[in-house]
Amino acid sequence: MPDQSPPLSAADAQDLAERVAKQMYDRDRASQMMGMKISKVGPGHAELVMTVRADMLNGHATCHGGFIFTLADSAFAFACNSNNLTTVASGCTIDFVAPARDGDVLTAVAQERSVSGRTGVYDIDVHNQRGEKIALFRGKSYRIKGHVIAGPQSQEV
C-alpha cells in the first residue's frame, strides 16, 4: 500500500538518507571488507570512496574491474535506497575508460536520473584522486516491498 505521509522537508529527507545509509552500511560486510567509506549521501545521491590495495590488482598490475564494479554498485545501492524504500538492482552496465592502480583513491558518485513507479535509473561516475575518469556505470533499480529502517517514511515516488 502506498505511503500517504506528507512530503518530507529537505532537511528531513537529508536526515532520512543519512540514517538509511548508516543502517545499510552497518550490515554491508562486502563494502566494509573492501574498505569503502561513505563520503556523502542525500536523497537520490551517494558518494563512496575506496583505496585500491595490492590484493585488488589483476595480472596487469591494475585494479581488477570487479572491484571497480562493486564500488560503483555499492554507491548505486546507497543512492537508490536513500528514500527508505527498499530497492534492488534490476540491471546495470559499466564501461571502463582508464585503469586504476595500486594506491589510487577511487570515488564513485551516484546520481538518480529518473524514478517512475517502482523503477529508477542511476548514473555512477568513478574517478581517481586526480579527477581522472575510471569508469561509467548505469544502474536500473526496482523497488520491492518494505523499508530499510523503521520510523518516518518518505513519500512514494
Side-chain angles (χ1 to χ4, degrees):
M1 169 176 266
D3 188 337
Q4 299 299 318
S5 58
L8 296 176
S9 70
D12 287 343
Q14 180 63 36
D15 177 67
L16 181 62
E18 290 172 6
R19 289 186 298 119
V20 167
K22 180 181 181 338
Q23 178 77 18
M24 286 180 60
Y25 186 82
D26 287 349
R27 297 185 306 216
D28 186 347
R29 302 293 182 242
S31 294
Q32 292 175 32
M33 178 269 308
M34 290 176 57
M36 293 180 204
K37 300 290 182 199
I38 301 169
S39 61
K40 290 183 185 176
V41 68
H45 178 83
E47 297 183 24
L48 271 65
V49 177
M50 177 185 81
T51 300
V52 177
R53 304 182 311 238
D55 63 344
M56 296 175 170
L57 302 181
N58 62 22
H60 299 294
T62 60
C63 185
H64 190 289
F67 290 106
I68 297 168
F69 183 97
T70 304
L71 173 64
D73 187 48
S74 289
F76 169 43
F78 285 100
C80 69
N81 281 278
S82 62
N83 293 312
N84 198 28
L85 299 169
T86 303
T87 306
V88 297
S90 65
C92 46
T93 61
I94 192 164
D95 293 301
F96 300 105
V97 297
R101 304 191 186 285
D102 190 15
D104 277 352
V105 178
L106 303 181
T107 301
V109 179
Q111 186 62 49
E112 181 180 278
R113 296 297 179 209
S114 174
V115 174
S116 179
R118 292 185 174 271
T119 63
V121 176
Y122 294 76
D123 286 331
I124 299 84
D125 290 342
V126 180
H127 61 271
N128 65 18
Q129 70 278 11
R130 293 177 298 281
E132 299 164 337
K133 192 144 321 213
I134 301 298
L136 305 168
F137 178 109
R138 174 159 276 190
K140 296 177 184 176
S141 68
Y142 185 77
R143 186 170 37 85
I144 59 175
K145 291 181 182 180
H147 297 89
V148 178
I149 58 174
Q153 309 306 328
S154 66
Q155 67 183 32
E156 292 287 326
V157 288

